[in-house]
Amino acid sequence: MASTRSPITQFYNCRVLRDHALVEDCLYVQDGKIIDPAKMFWDEQRVPDVRVNCQGGIVSPGYIDLQINGAYGYDFSNDTDMIEEAVSNISKGLLLQGCTAYCPTTVSSRPEVYHKVLSHLGPRAGSIERGAAVLGAHIEGPFISPQKKGAHELATLRTAARGLADFDECYGLDNLRKHVAYVTMAPEVEGVLDAIPDLIAATGINISSGHSNATTAVANQAHRSGAKMITHLFNAMHAFHQRDPGIIGLLGAAESRPFYGIICDGIHVHPHSVMIAYYAHPQGACLVTDAMSAQCLPDGAYKLGEMDVDVHSGHVYIKDTSTIAGSIISLAECVRNFIKFTGASKVEALENATLHPAQMLGIESVKGSLTFGADADILVLDDNLFVQRVFIAGAEATPENVKFNKKL
């Protein structure tokens, strides 16, 4: 509970994203939380201690990236001997971009990698000192389809013929309980579909279907069993067909539909496909970057896990192939692109990078919204949705007080 004596900050001269609309109002923050000003005004008869003039801008929750493999030269799957350094520097760099919370993502790896790094990728609060909040790891693979492996190393892929025992051997069930937000897996891989309910019951993690050749029937079974998301929609999955649309077909289900990540860099997914997906299921859209270690760095040769990749002119490919291997886009740019691709409103675009990702993880009471009691992770944006100011836990983040290193 906020202390009545601690300072209160007022954000004024702004339009606040609240209840699916931009409302001309003020926002009040105390002890790192959004507060109801009624108590301050009527019970305590206080005025704000600090006033932030937003210059007529938009006040939004901080962005949440559910899928990012690395940035600034660091890779969560490859830099296992400097994983704390990687998390620290990526978290600080992302914060300055306006991404105030994220899920560090690992690509398909050998068990020893998971047992080494997952304890470093678990939830941690965001702050000026630590950077963006970590919401828990996103483990992408290795229980995925060899036919839809994308930029994942074939030799690391495996099945779950022994059910929970295989997941325990690969990740460690205790690691899943403590350090992991969600796992991407292909439901048609041996043992995966049957294991989904048991895995959720044993660990409490979220499941996403992806890197999968599943039919619509199998994808539906996985969703009914508890898989609540689709990883990077359209990429690395059964192509849409009118008689069997595969995982993509879940967006047209008459019953509940899953959340879905979508990469709006104009490379992974054609703008028309983005529009089709959004108009099929707008409440499920979660903008993700799928960014890798070259984000914010020059073109050149980099690593994605153990894979060598080439980066040039905004494109990322496995070396000497035409296989896409992540992106270098920021989430802020994805939000702006989404409006260009779909004609959606600012509110819709912002909620795809704030509210919907938080809802997918079940944390919308504290992240992804500006409701009373939520964490005061706040962006001030101009009318074109360029980030002007960033606040985390109520404190402003600037290049002067958030210092980080790039690994060149």
Side-chain angles (χ1 to χ4, degrees):
M1 178 179 292
S3 165
T4 57
R5 297 192 178 189
S6 55
I8 294 174
T9 299
Q10 178 197 48
F11 292 76
Y12 72 100
N13 189 14
C14 56
R15 289 157 290 156
V16 179
L17 178 58
R18 180 178 287 151
D19 297 328
H20 315 297
L22 293 176
V23 182
E24 290 192 8
D25 198 357
C26 296
L27 189 74
Y28 295 85
V29 171
Q30 186 179 32
D31 292 334
K33 298 286 186 179
I34 310 296
I35 64 166
D36 182 347
K39 184 177 183 225
M40 176 188 75
F41 286 134
W42 304 113
D43 296 349
E44 301 176 11
Q45 298 185 350
R46 289 183 59 178
V47 295
D49 301 278
V50 179
R51 302 184 76 223
V52 176
N53 186 346
C54 300
Q55 306 293 334
I58 293 169
V59 170
S60 165
Y63 294 149
I64 299 171
D65 195 348
L66 294 177
Q67 183 171 5
I68 178 166
N69 307 285
Y72 300 104
Y74 295 98
D75 180 284
F76 294 119
S77 304
N78 184 262
D79 289 317
T80 57
D81 291 329
M82 57 176 71
I83 191 65
E84 276 297 325
E85 178 183 330
V87 173
S88 175
N89 285 294
I90 290 173
S91 296
K92 293 172 186 175
L94 290 179
L95 177 60
L96 292 177
Q97 295 180 23
C99 177
T100 58
Y102 72 106
C103 293
T105 298
T106 57
V107 295
S108 295
S109 303
R110 291 165 179 79
E112 55 265 29
V113 172
Y114 299 118
H115 290 279
K116 188 172 185 178
V117 305
L118 287 180
S119 63
H120 299 275
L121 304 181
R124 62 180 78 181
S127 68
I128 297 299
E129 296 74 25
R130 290 186 293 267
V134 178
L135 302 175
H138 164 213
I139 307 177
E140 191 180 12
F143 297 91
I144 60 174
S145 167
Q147 289 75 40
K148 298 295 178 182
K149 64 181 177 61
H152 290 241
E153 189 177 5
L154 182 62
T156 65
L157 306 190
R158 55 188 296 166
T159 68
R162 297 181 299 136
L164 281 182
D166 281 310
F167 292 102
D168 189 24
E169 179 183 275
C170 184
Y171 309 131
L173 293 184
D174 203 43
N175 277 331
L176 294 180
R177 293 185 194 101
K178 294 178 180 177
H179 309 302
V180 176
Y182 74 108
V183 178
T184 292
M185 56 187 71
E188 79 279 12
V189 166
E190 182 184 6
V192 167
L193 185 61
D194 290 339
I196 287 174
D198 293 337
L199 191 58
I200 294 171
T203 65
I205 62 168
N206 298 291
I207 304 295
S208 184
S209 295
H211 283 275
S212 169
N213 214 20
T215 63
T216 299
V218 171
N220 260 320
Q221 281 184 274
H223 182 53
R224 287 195 296 268
S225 295
K228 62 190 296 189
M229 184 175 169
I230 301 170
T231 296
H232 47 49
L233 185 73
F234 297 115
N235 298 114
M237 61 186 57
H238 185 301
F240 185 91
H241 188 279
Q242 71 271 21
R243 287 188 291 277
D244 189 348
I247 290 177
I248 300 167
L250 296 184
L251 270 64
E255 60 274 13
S256 70
R257 303 175 189 183
F259 292 96
Y260 57 94
I262 195 158
I263 307 167
C264 284
D265 61 353
I267 298 167
H268 279 78
V269 183
H270 192 281
H272 294 181
S273 298
V274 176
M275 179 176 277
I276 289 169
Y278 189 64
Y279 281 89
H281 184 29
Q283 293 80 20
C286 299
L287 299 179
V288 299
T289 64
D290 197 20
M292 44 75 68
S293 60
Q295 189 198 62
C296 298
L297 294 181
D299 289 356
Y302 293 89
K303 285 280 192 179
L304 178 63
E306 293 300 320
M307 308 287 280
D308 293 313
V309 300
D310 289 324
V311 177
H312 57 86
S313 303
H315 294 69
V316 185
Y317 296 109
I318 295 176
K319 186 178 180 180
D320 298 326
T321 77
S322 59
T323 300
I324 295 175
S327 85
I328 56 171
I329 198 169
S330 70
L331 198 52
E333 190 174 357
C334 287
V335 171
R336 295 191 295 272
N337 281 346
F338 184 81
I339 293 176
K340 293 178 189 174
F341 295 171
T342 66
S345 69
K346 293 182 178 72
V347 169
E348 291 171 310
L350 290 170
E351 288 189 339
N352 292 342
T354 57
L355 179 62
H356 297 172
Q359 289 174 329
M360 198 291 286
L361 295 177
I363 58 172
E364 64 270 24
S365 64
V366 291
K367 298 288 186 187
S369 74
L370 300 176
T371 56
F372 301 146
D375 292 341
D377 300 340
I378 297 165
L379 305 182
V380 180
L381 307 158
D382 66 17
D383 271 344
N384 294 314
L385 301 188
F386 283 89
V387 176
Q388 304 300 300
R389 301 176 75 172
V390 180
F391 296 79
I392 189 159
E396 185 165 13
T398 70
E400 287 68 42
N401 65 6
V402 178
K403 302 292 187 182
F404 69 99
N405 297 315
K406 301 176 182 179
K407 183 164 77 77
L408 301 173

